[in-house]
Amino acid sequence: MSRWLKQVNNLLENLDDTVGDAVEQAEERLEEAAYDYASGSGGGGVGGGAAAGTGAADAEYDPSSSAAAAAAGDISVFGGTTDGNNHETSSPNAHVVVGTSTFRYASLSRRGRDPDDAAKPNQDRYGVTTFSARGGCTTNAAGNGPAERAASAFFGVYDGHGPTGQLCSAFAQKRIPDLLSKDIRGTAGTLSVNEIHHSIHEAHTITNDELHVSDVNDSYSGTTAVSLFVHPDDDDKDATSITISNVGDSRAVLGTAVSAAAGGGANALRAVPLTKDQTPHRMDEAARCIKSGARILSFGQIDPNYAKVNNDTAGGIEEEVEDPPRIWAKTGLYPGTAFTRSIGDSIAEKLGVCAEPEMLTLKVSPAVKVVVLASDGVYDVLENQDVVDLCHRHRHDPDKACRSIIEKSHEEWLLNEDCTEASASYDDMTVICVFIGAELPVAAAAT
């Protein structure tokens, strides 16, 4: 169960009984969601849902889910492998050519830790899907052969939350690229930016609608979705463009070369955010939810007795507790989400939380060196520039770049918690590193 849902439960337990029927209704819904999580009844069979729901094993993306399209030579799905302890899921170095640009990539996901739940599943998912013209394509999973040529490629990271979060993220991981594939295969020639944005928008909103009516209980659960779609530029046939789409608070960050005139060294990269976190901190996001009837309040504003500081009695140190603004119903203490867009979260949707992605399209220039997609388990503890610096250090090996980011994130979580692994609490961490350009020789990359 996610940290915010535990806080909602604790808050409900500590409030006076006179709060009324709205609180009782919220408690009943929370108990129902918790039961579904514990029993694994929240939609078994979606992305390995039964196993993931009980925490027996992390759900894996099933390439057979797109078997029909793959057999037709139109779509190729790149999944990943899990280590024996289900701590990490990884996809090794691979590369794809779209237009005149080569994209080298790897992925890595590490399960978080909850001291109160040793069997906590990894609620993050990721996926890479390549689309080819008729004639087929084969993903080069080993990354050591000729580059795969594709008409376009789709990279996605999905961060689930709530009692059935791992089922929601697995659902989105499968359905978004499937729906996008069906849409773009029905068109002829190069798509315009408006057509691409429409297709991506529909893939997200239809996935959200399908999740609501699926066997997955998404009342208090859902997932982020941040993606990179690589496609031919609609104005320049010799160029390649990228479209970033985002729902929630996962992030996409670009690493771009800094010229000497701008103060950069020969190998310097500057981090450029391609997404904005969709939370109540943003006035535009908060305004939409308020218009739908939501209240925007932190836990401390809801309950004056909520502990805003932790007291270190030994050292006499007071440390401020993070207490972000959240979405609440006007007449009840639910759902308490700290985000304003999500796939799923059917209760919060009534209060303005939506699944519509924000999108940005850019032409790939020689200065663009890397795009990083990651869940907030990474960006909660690392700055954008830290992530890009680690990518640049390992620019010759995407897999090493991913591992360095996850290892550094894990290290920062332990430092922030001031604890050892045995007592630590940290979030799931997932990253896809996509480098633009042909692979550098190791000797050259080390300079």
Side-chain angles (χ1 to χ4, degrees):
M1 188 177 295
S2 66
R3 186 177 299 178
W4 69 264
L5 191 54
K6 288 182 180 178
Q7 289 176 311
V8 173
N9 272 319
N10 291 336
L11 185 58
L12 289 172
E13 291 171 0
N14 293 330
L15 285 173
D16 189 89
D17 292 338
T18 59
V19 173
D21 293 339
V23 172
E24 293 179 2
Q25 182 184 33
E27 285 179 324
E28 289 173 0
R29 287 171 172 163
L30 287 166
E31 288 172 1
E32 177 185 356
Y35 172 80
D36 287 342
Y37 173 74
S39 64
S41 61
V46 179
T54 59
D58 288 343
E60 290 302 310
Y61 188 91
D62 179 12
S64 65
S65 63
S66 301
D74 294 319
I75 179 172
S76 179
V77 180
F78 189 27
T81 58
T82 305
D83 70 354
N85 295 320
N86 292 325
H87 291 157
E88 291 185 353
T89 305
S90 62
S91 295
N93 291 335
H95 45 293
V96 61
V97 175
V98 177
T100 58
S101 299
T102 298
F103 297 84
R104 300 177 292 114
Y105 60 91
S107 316
L108 181 63
S109 182
R110 175 167 181 164
R111 186 179 66 180
R113 189 176 189 282
D114 183 349
D116 299 326
D117 183 6
K120 186 199 88 66
N122 187 347
Q123 294 190 309
D124 286 2
R125 296 291 181 271
Y126 67 85
V128 180
T129 306
T130 57
F131 309 97
S132 75
R134 188 169 298 175
C137 65
T138 303
T139 298
N140 177 26
N144 56 6
E148 172 193 357
R149 290 192 173 272
S152 55
F154 186 84
F155 305 80
V157 167
Y158 314 90
D159 180 358
H161 52 261
T164 62
Q166 68 276 18
L167 302 182
C168 295
S169 58
F171 192 98
Q173 175 201 46
K174 175 183 183 299
R175 290 301 293 147
I176 290 176
D178 280 356
L179 289 165
L180 183 60
S181 170
K182 292 174 183 177
D183 203 27
I184 65 176
R185 280 189 293 157
T187 60
T190 301
L191 298 175
S192 69
V193 171
N194 286 339
E195 289 172 327
I196 289 171
H197 284 202
H198 175 76
S199 295
I200 292 174
H201 178 277
E202 291 297 288
H204 284 74
T205 55
I206 292 174
T207 294
N208 183 60
D209 292 340
E210 291 180 348
L211 180 58
H212 289 339
V213 297
S214 72
D215 291 335
V216 178
N217 185 339
D218 70 346
S219 296
Y220 292 94
S221 299
T223 183
T224 71
V226 63
S227 63
L228 163 67
F229 183 48
V230 181
H231 53 89
D233 186 78
D234 62 340
D235 290 328
D236 184 351
K237 66 179 182 178
D238 294 324
T240 305
S241 289
I242 59 174
T243 294
I244 300 294
S245 58
N246 183 50
V247 172
D249 56 3
S250 296
R251 290 184 193 171
V253 175
L254 177 75
T256 183
V258 181
S259 67
N267 295 318
L269 293 184
R270 174 177 295 149
V272 179
L274 298 178
T275 58
K276 293 196 297 183
D277 295 350
Q278 295 154 350
T279 74
H281 280 294
R282 282 176 50 178
M283 292 183 64
D284 57 337
E285 292 292 297
R288 185 187 68 250
C289 294
I290 291 170
K291 187 176 180 180
S292 296
R295 294 181 295 163
I296 310 295
L297 298 167
S298 66
F299 280 124
Q301 292 171 315
I302 285 282
D303 178 11
N305 295 319
Y306 179 75
K308 293 184 178 179
V309 296
N310 289 329
N311 293 319
D312 182 351
T313 55
I317 299 174
E318 290 188 347
E319 180 182 353
E320 186 177 352
V321 174
E322 184 180 6
D323 188 16
R326 296 173 182 273
I327 304 296
W328 304 93
K330 277 187 177 179
T331 58
L333 293 170
Y334 62 90
T337 62
F339 47 80
T340 52
R341 301 199 191 201
S342 171
I343 294 173
D345 287 286
S346 57
I347 299 298
E349 189 173 290
K350 298 178 176 69
L351 301 170
V353 174
C354 70
E356 296 187 5
E358 292 183 307
M359 288 171 280
L360 173 68
T361 296
L362 302 169
K363 181 185 288 188
V364 174
S365 71
V368 176
K369 301 300 181 184
V370 65
V371 177
V372 184
L373 308 178
S375 62
D376 64 355
V378 170
Y379 288 118
D380 275 353
V381 291
L382 296 182
E383 298 295 331
N384 294 346
Q385 189 63 51
D386 296 332
V387 171
V388 168
D389 288 345
L390 289 169
C391 283
H392 184 62
R393 185 180 304 169
H394 300 287
R395 59 194 181 276
H396 59 289
D397 190 333
D399 181 66
K400 285 185 178 179
C402 289
R403 292 190 178 278
S404 68
I405 291 168
I406 297 301
E407 288 169 4
K408 184 62 176 176
S409 299
H410 177 246
E411 177 185 325
E412 290 298 318
W413 276 105
L414 296 185
L415 287 174
N416 290 348
E417 297 282 337
D418 191 21
C419 62
T420 63
E421 178 70 22
S423 59
S425 174
Y426 51 85
D427 201 358
D428 304 323
M429 297 164 276
T430 299
V431 63
I432 300 179
C433 295
V434 183
F435 291 84
I436 297 92
E439 184 173 1
L440 291 170
V442 174
T447 61

